[in-house]
Amino acid sequence: MDYLVKQPAFEGPFALLFHLIEKAEVDIYEISVAEITAQYLEYLQAMQELNLEVASEFLVMAATLLKLKSKKLLPGTFETVDELEDAMITIDSQEELVQRLLEYRHFRSVAEELRRFEQAQKRVFARSLSGEKVVIVNPEKEMSAAGITLPGLMQAFAHLLADFERQPREVNVDEFTVKDKMKLIMTSLRGQSSGIDFFSLFPKGAGLSEIIITFFSLLELIRLRKISVWQTGPMESLLIMRKV
Amino acid sequence: MLIKPLVEALLFVAEEPLSLDRLAEITEFPVQDVRLALRELQQEYAADDSGLQVMEIAKGYQLATKPELAPVVEKLFKGENRYTLSQAALETLAIIAYRQPVTRVDIENIRGVKVDGVLETLLKRRFIRTAGRKDAPGRPILYSTTREFLKYFGLKDVSELPRSDMDLPRERSLFEEPGQTITT
Amino acid sequence: MLIKPLVEALLFVAEEPLSLDRLAEITEFPVQDVRLALRELQQEYAADDSGLQVMEIAKGYQLATKPELAPVVEKLFKGENRYTLSQAALETLAIIAYRQPVTRVDIENIRGVKVDGVLETLLKRRFIRTAGRKDAPGRPILYSTTREFLKYFGLKDVSELPRSDMDLPRERSLFEEPGQTITT
């Protein structure tokens, strides 16, 4: 299976020209249009032979170079309507070509400088607050919960409800309040320094209202930073811990 | 490389508390050295002229700000109004969250009390919104929770939540009076 | 409350580099005091036995890890794609940074290639933004660099980029079509 190598060796015609000039070790101001044109065309031909896709910009530049070369040979005869006028590269004299190359060289060196900045900055790490980190420690009210992965918590809750679906139903009088549940959870956490399992808070046979109230009590306790929820891995069980 | 600056840098960037073992593993220093470095850091940050602290949390260590600075530090996040909801509001929200869309009567049946006032507060606070009307006698208004609700509880990304799994089939509601049918 | 711990705590929690003014505003301390506290913090963290540094970046201050610790700190982020920008993106950014606000055609004239795709990527990445339209035929969109750009490259300001004689004044540009006026 043959394939086109999409990635050309050079970002654009200026990059290629620049490379050729550097290779020839000539000063940009002293380039010979005839020579550089010959080399440029040679390179394009090599690219085509290698089945590399030659972008139209490269061809436009080739045409431009040929035009400049002809102008030098037959001065004054090429001031006619230019079919390349709408193209991105409109260069009418060697002087202009030199200016364009100098300008391109400048931005190339700035790009190199940016690359150095980029590399330096890659070695420096700032905090990203994407995760659920402890940001501010305030016993009264907290910004965000520590260690908890809420999607994980919600998933666990979804499992609970799924289990509930499978269990025989039992109509339960709504006798639980969030307040009571919160107290109950805090009590059961007392003395459990390593925390308790999320699921142990939901007794077997608990009614739906109890499950929901318990879950909401957990959310509220997390929000108030009375407890924290930990998960050691994506599929691991959730640990509920009292905050100190 | 020295161990203390390494531990400091790691605690700083880590998204979650790092355990002794993990710190030792990453730094390739013995656990005792890590423990010592942590103790030093803890002492240094404990000084009054530092604004941070090394917290021991869930069998791990983490950098955090000192509690006494909270009033000022929180100003950075001003606009994120965080007050506590009343008990009534919480319970009502719980019911709406898992039963949405749900009518006022449905909520009152579950909670056993009138919820007009609470609903109004929740609507004003934008925790809930009206979500059309139920196809039942009187065509009562239906309520759903909002993005604001998720934000309040720190549920950042709605799409990440296993919504559909949590929604019980409505016809299996346990809280309805017998004979009352729900068709939504 | 002391100013230094406050500034430290704020730099720690802030998602963005904080400016002197912002720090003064939040702490309610005079700018001079904040500046002094920053300098003290900068010196303290500069010590070899600290793993952090106070960086001056994007016209603000930020806490970050020391570059020499990167080989170890990186391990925490293993697997995470720390991409680097393409040569095309860098060259395009270089032009925008120097010539801003600048149109797509101006950039293409310099680079000699189409830049639609690159601009789209840079916009998405928030390294550049649109900055109105040029007062020229077709009223083309103008582009500028952003704070995010400064942050990514660790620059305080665009002026930190190397100045050079080659940076031609915009009005002397030789590459515009005759008759095309540049009024930015």
Side-chain angles (χ1 to χ4, degrees):
Chain A
M1 183 184 149
D2 70 330
Y3 58 93
L4 283 179
V5 180
K6 283 290 224 182
Q7 190 69 45
F10 294 95
E11 271 297 330
F14 281 118
L16 171 53
L17 262 184
F18 200 73
H19 165 76
L20 295 173
I21 292 166
E22 275 190 331
K23 213 175 80 181
E25 290 181 7
V26 285
D27 193 284
I28 289 184
Y29 291 98
E30 271 139 37
I31 46 168
S32 145
V33 172
E35 242 170 71
I36 212 75
T37 304
Q39 283 174 17
Y40 187 91
L41 293 175
E42 210 175 283
Y43 187 87
L44 285 200
Q45 203 173 353
M47 273 170 87
Q48 271 161 337
E49 274 164 17
L50 287 169
N51 222 7
L52 290 166
E53 198 179 43
V54 177
S56 61
E57 296 97 10
F58 286 89
L59 302 174
V60 173
M61 176 61 88
T64 304
L65 288 171
L66 285 169
K67 188 185 73 177
L68 288 182
K69 196 176 132 189
S70 325
K71 260 186 168 176
K72 282 213 134 179
L73 295 171
L74 307 161
T77 56
F78 271 79
E79 299 303 325
T80 49
V81 179
D82 193 341
E83 72 279 7
L84 295 171
E85 208 160 30
D86 288 335
M88 260 174 304
I89 303 160
T90 48
I91 296 169
D92 292 317
S93 66
Q94 176 164 358
E95 190 199 17
E96 198 176 327
L97 177 67
V98 167
Q99 283 299 330
R100 295 288 299 263
L101 281 168
L102 287 174
E103 187 180 42
Y104 177 73
R105 182 173 71 179
H106 167 58
F107 285 113
R108 222 176 124 92
S109 74
V110 175
E112 272 165 32
E113 193 68 15
L114 284 177
R115 178 71 81 202
R116 277 191 285 278
F117 280 120
E118 180 188 48
Q119 293 311 321
Q121 200 56 15
K122 286 258 176 289
R123 297 167 57 78
V124 158
F125 296 82
R127 292 175 79 242
S128 75
L129 299 184
S130 53
E132 309 285 343
K133 297 189 206 177
V134 171
V135 181
I136 305 165
V137 174
N138 182 347
E140 300 298 307
K141 47 185 181 149
E142 278 301 337
M143 288 299 304
S144 65
I148 182 183
T149 58
L150 267 160
L153 189 61
M154 298 307 265
Q155 225 119 39
F157 185 64
H159 285 171
L160 266 182
L161 289 186
D163 278 352
F164 174 78
E165 296 262 33
R166 271 180 250 114
Q167 282 163 16
R169 271 189 287 152
E170 131 193 0
V171 177
N172 214 332
V173 188
D174 189 17
E175 54 196 10
F176 297 96
T177 67
V178 173
K179 210 177 189 171
D180 293 342
K181 255 305 176 211
M182 279 164 68
K183 261 190 219 148
L184 211 75
I185 294 169
M186 290 313 284
T187 312
S188 48
L189 282 173
R190 196 167 293 154
Q192 305 279 338
S193 57
S194 53
I196 60 174
D197 187 78
F198 170 80
F199 292 100
S200 73
L201 291 172
F202 301 86
K204 281 259 178 288
L208 181 59
S209 79
E210 186 178 357
I211 292 175
I212 291 173
I213 294 293
T214 305
F215 184 65
F216 254 73
S217 305
L218 279 173
L219 281 184
E220 184 67 357
L221 285 169
I222 290 162
R223 209 182 61 75
L224 295 171
R225 291 194 71 87
K226 301 264 192 233
I227 61 167
S228 55
V229 182
W230 295 97
Q231 195 174 26
T232 44
M235 301 311 280
E236 300 296 313
S237 67
L238 292 161
L239 274 183
I240 313 289
M241 248 173 274
R242 205 186 162 99
K243 298 214 83 155
V244 272
Chain B
M1 269 183 260
L2 296 165
I3 176 69
K4 205 183 70 174
L6 272 180
V7 170
E8 189 180 25
L10 289 168
L11 293 186
F12 175 76
V13 295
E15 305 243 345
E16 32 197 79
L18 293 171
S19 68
L20 260 179
D21 290 345
R22 184 103 173 85
L23 282 165
E25 181 198 328
I26 298 170
T27 58
E28 293 172 24
F29 271 85
V31 172
Q32 309 92 277
D33 294 10
V34 175
R35 193 180 284 121
L36 218 68
L38 278 166
R39 208 164 299 157
E40 268 181 65
L41 282 170
Q42 238 159 358
Q43 276 166 13
E44 281 174 26
Y45 278 118
D48 281 345
D49 78 333
S50 160
L52 307 179
Q53 59 170 329
V54 179
M55 280 181 87
E56 220 175 318
I57 189 169
K59 293 176 200 154
Y61 296 84
Q62 188 166 38
L63 270 178
T65 61
K66 290 223 175 90
E68 60 268 29
L69 304 177
V72 175
V73 175
E74 268 174 353
K75 286 206 262 169
L76 250 193
F77 303 93
K78 217 151 90 186
E80 292 176 48
N81 198 2
R82 280 155 192 277
Y83 57 84
T84 309
L85 287 175
S86 71
Q87 173 74 11
L90 266 179
E91 286 183 24
T92 305
L93 263 180
I95 294 159
I96 298 171
Y98 294 104
R99 283 307 176 74
Q100 56 191 312
V102 66
T103 68
R104 179 176 55 73
V105 173
D106 293 340
I107 304 164
E108 289 177 349
N109 278 334
I110 298 168
R111 291 200 52 228
V113 287
K114 288 264 172 218
V115 293
D116 313 66
V118 180
L119 284 182
E120 208 176 294
T121 313
L122 290 173
L123 279 168
K124 215 183 278 170
R125 194 61 189 80
R126 294 181 190 236
F127 282 145
I128 61 168
R129 60 183 177 82
T130 58
R133 283 169 185 277
K134 185 159 143 180
D135 192 10
R139 298 189 46 72
I141 293 170
L142 289 161
Y143 297 94
S144 294
T145 55
T146 60
R147 260 180 84 81
E148 197 57 35
F149 157 79
L150 292 169
K151 270 168 66 187
Y152 182 79
F153 287 104
L155 310 172
K156 263 181 204 154
D157 208 326
V158 198
S159 61
E160 263 185 77
L161 303 178
R163 276 254 136 239
S164 53
D165 296 358
M166 288 185 326
D167 278 1
L168 288 176
R170 268 188 208 92
E171 59 279 12
R172 290 196 46 207
S173 170
L174 300 169
F175 306 117
E176 299 301 328
E177 300 291 332
Q180 192 181 352
T181 53
I182 307 171
T183 53
T184 48
Chain C
M1 267 182 259
L2 295 165
I3 176 68
K4 206 184 68 174
L6 271 181
V7 170
E8 189 180 24
L10 287 167
L11 292 185
F12 175 76
V13 295
E15 298 199 36
E16 296 273 314
L18 293 173
S19 68
L20 258 181
D21 288 346
R22 184 104 173 84
L23 283 165
E25 183 198 325
I26 298 170
T27 58
E28 294 173 25
F29 271 85
V31 172
Q32 308 92 278
D33 294 10
V34 175
R35 191 180 285 124
L36 218 70
L38 279 166
R39 208 165 299 160
E40 268 181 65
L41 283 170
Q42 237 158 358
Q43 277 167 11
E44 281 174 26
Y45 278 117
D48 280 346
D49 79 332
S50 160
L52 307 179
Q53 58 171 330
V54 179
M55 283 184 87
E56 229 174 310
I57 192 170
K59 293 164 198 162
Y61 296 84
Q62 186 171 42
L63 271 177
T65 61
K66 291 222 175 92
E68 60 267 30
L69 305 177
V72 175
V73 176
E74 256 163 12
K75 289 204 245 166
L76 256 191
F77 300 95
K78 232 189 195 139
E80 269 176 55
N81 191 14
R82 301 206 93 216
Y83 66 92
T84 52
L85 290 174
S86 70
Q87 178 69 17
L90 284 178
E91 282 181 20
T92 305
L93 273 175
I95 294 163
I96 298 172
Y98 272 73
R99 289 288 169 82
Q100 55 190 314
V102 66
T103 67
R104 177 176 56 74
V105 172
D106 292 340
I107 303 165
E108 290 178 345
N109 274 332
I110 296 170
R111 292 201 51 229
V113 287
K114 290 261 172 220
V115 294
D116 314 65
V118 180
L119 285 182
E120 209 177 292
T121 313
L122 292 174
L123 278 169
K124 219 182 272 166
R125 195 66 188 75
R126 294 184 191 234
F127 284 147
I128 60 169
R129 59 182 178 83
T130 59
R133 284 170 184 277
K134 185 159 144 180
D135 193 9
R139 298 190 45 74
I141 294 170
L142 290 161
Y143 298 95
S144 295
T145 55
T146 61
R147 243 174 97 83
E148 203 53 40
F149 161 79
L150 293 174
K151 274 171 65 188
Y152 181 81
F153 291 101
L155 298 168
K156 266 182 242 182
D157 205 293
V158 198
S159 66
E160 248 194 286
L161 285 173
R163 284 278 141 201
S164 129
D165 311 339
M166 289 325 304
D167 194 21
L168 299 168
R170 222 171 293 141
E171 59 279 13
R172 281 193 44 213
S173 175
L174 299 166
F175 317 116
E176 298 297 331
E177 299 291 330
Q180 193 181 351
T181 51
I182 308 170
T183 52
T184 48

